[in-house]
Amino acid sequence: MTRKQSHLCKGFHKEVWLFIDASLSPAQQRKWQLHLKQCSSCRDWLQQSQKTLAKYRQAPAADIDEMRFERMIEAATRYPQKRIFGQRLWIRVAAAALILAAMGLGGHEIALPGLKALLSSSGEPVSEKRMVDALWMKADPLDYGGTAIDSVLMTMNESLLQLEEELFLFADTELYF
Amino acid sequence: MEETDWIVKCRNGDADAFARLVQPYRRPLFAFLLRLCGDRALAEDALQETLIKIWTRIGTFKLGNRFSSWVMQIAYRTAVDQKRRRKDGRLFYSDVLPEWQSPDDPTRRLELDERRRYMHRALEELPENQRQVFLLRLDGELTFKEIAALLGQPLNTVLSRMNQAVKKLQKRMEHYRDD
Ligand SMILES: [Zn+2]
């Protein structure tokens, strides 16, 4: 085995799972396909790994009784659904006003305190950086020069939903790890 | 009707749509939770809690994302949270082999039981951080990028843990007879 090959093999071992998932760039996928054709050691290694996974998948998994599952579903739907930003018009209007204010006055510093007040009603811990990232990634004021208020409202609504989802995931992470 | 349609109906409080939406996840969700919790009663509690979270937070799911990933991430967090609340030290897996419904044919049952027991032991021997990645990928069917984000670990770390896990399982299974 040449030095070049062993370097390639190392690279392949590093990316093999992304390769199997086909989540590399097309060029990179092709590169490893080619390498597999030429390198029997990586080919064997890949085959062995896949065989192991297949064995794992063949081992029977447990199941739960259908009736019991249905009762669980029913029990779940008795809980009230969280509707923080989706339903109430005044919140959407307030949010849009905030974003418009920020656009006019040039910065999220203006919008943040108001946003924070809105978000605090959800009871989730929230850092300013996280809010800015989540919000402005979706709603860059530069994109809204001269757009109708409706589309601003819609995007704002979407941003807030996404933000809420991120906060939910974020809050869990922070608490549990 | 597609999954997205059921999700939209769910958001409007449609309980029947919720049943249709989560029905296909019964087996994968429960199997995943059982492997994480290592005990049938705990896994059932975690499943109930997971379903409640899916229902109450469905409005926060971003349409266009992979719903199955969202569901499995909630399940994972629920299992982790449950273990944390119980403070029993181990995060994943218990030493108890979960009971399950065996097929009626005794020979087949014996064979499947043996294979299950073998796999269980092999998994249990893995270090926790490797088993975690392995289960999230194989049972949770998350992508490695999703796993990295969920665990707050660099992608390369996750990939190398997967490599180590598979290597160890492979070595362990060499001793196990092939079909
Ligand atoms: Zn190679």
Side-chain angles (χ1 to χ4, degrees):
Chain A
M1 194 185 281
T2 66
R3 207 187 173 81
K4 174 108 176 122
Q5 265 175 328
S6 86
H7 180 69
L8 264 178
C9 295
K10 243 175 132 178
F12 178 70
H13 285 219
K14 233 174 137 180
E15 290 191 343
V16 63
W17 302 108
L18 301 177
F19 172 74
I20 291 175
D21 282 359
S23 59
L24 293 167
S25 68
Q28 197 70 357
Q29 288 285 134
R30 271 198 304 278
K31 175 183 159 187
W32 296 131
Q33 268 157 11
L34 193 71
H35 178 69
L36 280 174
K37 273 187 191 155
Q38 292 162 346
C39 175
S40 64
S41 135
C42 280
R43 215 160 45 227
D44 291 346
W45 183 72
L46 179 64
Q47 206 178 17
Q48 275 308 315
S49 302
Q50 282 181 316
K51 220 168 139 185
T52 305
L53 297 192
K55 274 188 191 164
Y56 178 81
R57 289 197 170 102
Q58 277 164 15
D63 200 357
I64 185 170
D65 179 63
E66 230 169 285
M67 290 291 287
R68 194 170 166 75
F69 188 64
E70 262 160 38
R71 280 199 299 275
M72 284 184 178
I73 290 175
E74 223 183 287
T77 54
R78 275 184 236 125
Y79 284 76
Q81 286 180 307
K82 278 181 91 177
R83 294 180 192 282
I84 296 172
F85 301 113
Q87 302 299 308
R88 286 146 82 181
L89 186 66
W90 71 266
I91 286 184
R92 284 193 284 157
V93 173
L98 283 169
I99 204 172
L100 290 173
M103 280 162 62
L105 296 165
H108 48 67
E109 294 86 357
I110 314 290
L112 274 181
L115 234 188
K116 205 164 190 175
L118 276 175
L119 287 168
S120 64
S121 63
S122 74
E124 310 272 18
V126 43
S127 77
E128 290 211 343
K129 189 189 170 304
R130 189 85 187 169
M131 276 168 43
V132 175
D133 286 350
L135 181 63
W136 297 100
M137 224 165 46
K138 283 296 279 188
D140 186 342
L142 291 175
D143 291 340
Y144 296 108
T147 6
I149 181 113
D150 265 5
S151 77
V152 175
L153 275 173
M154 259 173 65
T155 312
M156 192 66 203
N157 204 29
E158 214 178 87
S159 308
L160 290 172
L161 270 176
Q162 189 195 355
L163 183 62
E164 215 255 323
E165 182 184 0
E166 283 195 20
L167 290 174
F168 152 53
L169 295 174
F170 179 59
D172 282 6
T173 315
E174 194 173 56
L175 284 171
Y176 303 158
F177 291 103
Chain B
M1 287 261 266
E2 283 183 21
E3 196 167 66
T4 313
D5 301 318
W6 297 121
I7 294 170
V8 171
K9 279 176 174 275
C10 262
R11 284 184 170 174
N12 295 321
D14 185 334
D16 291 334
F18 180 65
R20 295 290 295 266
L21 179 66
V22 295
Q23 204 49 258
Y25 291 97
R26 189 193 76 219
R27 190 190 274 265
L29 249 186
F30 185 66
F32 183 43
L33 284 169
L34 189 56
R35 283 202 159 118
L36 290 176
C37 303
D39 173 279
R40 185 166 266 273
L42 289 177
E44 285 187 8
D45 284 352
L47 180 61
Q48 178 68 78
E49 211 175 306
T50 301
L51 288 172
I52 293 169
K53 282 183 187 165
I54 297 171
W55 167 256
T56 56
R57 295 173 188 272
I58 190 80
T60 69
F61 172 71
K62 193 164 181 291
L63 291 174
N65 283 356
R66 233 157 47 99
F67 184 66
S68 63
S69 300
W70 190 70
V71 166
M72 290 303 183
Q73 286 179 40
I74 290 178
Y76 173 80
R77 287 171 198 283
T78 305
V80 171
D81 183 35
Q82 187 192 60
K83 292 276 181 177
R84 186 182 57 89
R85 279 197 308 250
R86 291 181 340 125
K87 295 192 175 97
D88 63 357
R90 281 194 83 153
L91 268 180
F92 297 94
Y93 244 67
S94 77
D95 299 313
V96 195
L97 188 67
E99 29 99 25
W100 68 303
Q101 291 145 339
S102 308
D104 291 333
D105 173 13
T107 325
R108 178 92 183 119
R109 190 165 60 213
L110 213 68
E111 187 203 315
L112 286 179
D113 269 346
E114 193 196 334
R115 193 185 287 185
R116 254 179 87 253
R117 199 163 296 129
Y118 203 86
M119 196 65 75
H120 186 90
R121 231 175 281 135
L123 258 180
E124 200 152 59
E125 281 168 12
L126 291 179
E128 188 140 306
N129 57 17
Q130 292 171 21
R131 183 169 51 237
Q132 193 180 24
V133 171
F134 187 85
L135 289 178
L136 284 167
R137 179 69 189 101
L138 273 284
D139 293 87
E141 296 196 345
L142 298 183
T143 67
F144 288 102
K145 281 175 192 164
E146 286 167 340
I147 296 171
L150 181 67
L151 301 177
Q153 298 284 341
L155 181 60
N156 277 339
T157 307
V158 168
L159 291 173
S160 101
R161 282 180 191 166
M162 181 70 181
N163 264 344
Q164 288 159 345
V166 174
K167 202 162 144 191
K168 281 180 191 151
L169 287 180
Q170 200 169 301
K171 213 166 170 187
R172 192 75 166 73
M173 280 182 226
E174 272 167 16
H175 307 293
Y176 185 72
R177 65 182 165 76
D178 273 308
D179 289 344

